[in-house]
Amino acid sequence: MENQLFELARKRRSIRQYGNKRIDDDVIAEIMKVALTAPTSFGHHAVEFVVVREAEMIRKVGACKNFGGSQVNGADTVIVAIVKTSDKRASEFWIEDGAIASAYLLLAIEQYDLGACWVHIRNRKGKLKSSDEEIRQLLNIPDGYTVLNLVALGEKGEKKAPYTEKDLKFGNIHMEKF
Ligand SMILES: Cc1cc2nc3c(=O)[nH]c(=O)nc-3n(C[C@H](O)[C@H](O)[C@H](O)COP(=O)(O)O)c2cc1C
């Protein structure tokens, strides 16, 4: 059987430069559907997303991270991954929940031959407050949620070689015992 998921995963690279092509709303909707299939702790589905497509708002979201946030400028869309950390049952695993959903997003985006990059937000600083607080204020995200990361995406504006078997750290896999 062909390993279709490996073929997709090896092509996914972090893309930080984007072209100008506008991505259809339908494509964004298909990508978001995939994120909603990600496993969540206790099946609580505590991960939510704010999909930002307006260029000026994308710039403002990026400005909430005082170092490295400007890399989102020029992206077609920025997906803000938030987790309902006020939900006691989900809060223990909020990082895992958000990270898995974001990883699904990155693969889904590659499937449409678009470029994407994880932009980290947790424990990062904004202009005056934490990046998390500044983004929540900017996007009217209610109390009880925490921002884990952004996923910036757009038409690929840089070329990166897909991973090959030679690039893989097979030594990181330990069979039966370390
Ligand atoms: C938890 C996490 C945080 C990351 N934070 C950032 C970030 O803030 N900015 C960025 O440009 N890339 C970020 N990345 C992307 C990594 O730099 C990238 O995945 C790594 O260099 C490997 O390159 P590849 O994605 O092309 O395989 C992050 C990735 C992960 C998993």
Side-chain angles (χ1 to χ4, degrees):
M1 189 181 99
E2 195 203 350
N3 191 344
Q4 290 178 340
L5 187 53
F6 177 64
E7 286 308 310
L8 177 68
R10 75 188 194 88
K11 280 192 277 170
R12 184 224 54 82
R13 299 296 315 276
S14 291
I15 297 296
R16 300 178 177 88
Q17 287 163 35
Y18 307 99
N20 294 325
K21 198 171 156 219
R22 193 69 182 147
I23 300 169
D24 286 349
D25 288 341
D26 293 353
V27 170
I28 299 293
E30 289 300 314
I31 288 167
M32 296 314 301
K33 245 165 51 179
V34 176
L36 296 178
T37 70
T40 59
S41 59
F42 299 108
H44 289 318
H45 301 282
V47 189
E48 300 186 28
F49 307 92
V50 182
V51 180
V52 182
R53 306 209 61 195
E54 205 267 307
E56 182 54 18
M57 192 54 110
I58 287 176
R59 198 195 55 72
K60 286 183 183 169
V61 170
C64 294
K65 185 177 175 182
N66 67 4
F67 181 77
S70 62
Q71 73 179 92
V72 304
N73 298 348
D76 174 272
T77 301
V78 163
I79 301 165
V80 185
I82 59 176
V83 187
K84 197 165 187 185
T85 39
S86 63
D87 178 340
K88 273 254 172 305
R89 297 163 307 175
S91 63
E92 184 183 359
F93 297 110
W94 78 274
I95 296 175
E96 291 86 343
D97 283 348
I100 293 170
S102 297
Y104 270 49
L105 277 176
L106 294 173
L107 286 172
I109 292 163
E110 177 57 44
Q111 188 173 239
Y112 287 91
D113 199 24
L114 298 168
C117 190
W118 176 305
V119 181
H120 202 62
I121 294 299
R122 185 177 65 85
N123 288 344
R124 293 294 176 262
K125 287 197 173 68
K127 279 189 206 75
L128 298 170
K129 303 181 210 163
S130 67
S131 299
D132 163 62
E133 285 172 291
E134 292 190 3
I135 291 172
R136 284 191 288 113
Q137 193 173 350
L138 181 68
L139 300 176
N140 294 341
I141 297 168
D143 288 346
Y145 287 85
T146 308
V147 182
L148 181 65
N149 64 285
L150 315 173
V151 174
L153 68 132
E155 180 189 8
K156 287 179 182 172
E158 61 176 326
K159 268 200 188 327
K160 283 199 175 172
Y163 289 114
T164 67
E165 298 240 352
K166 274 193 275 170
D167 300 311
L168 305 184
K169 295 197 185 311
F170 286 105
N172 287 4
I173 300 171
H174 309 277
M175 301 300 285
E176 312 297 350
K177 284 188 175 178
F178 192 96

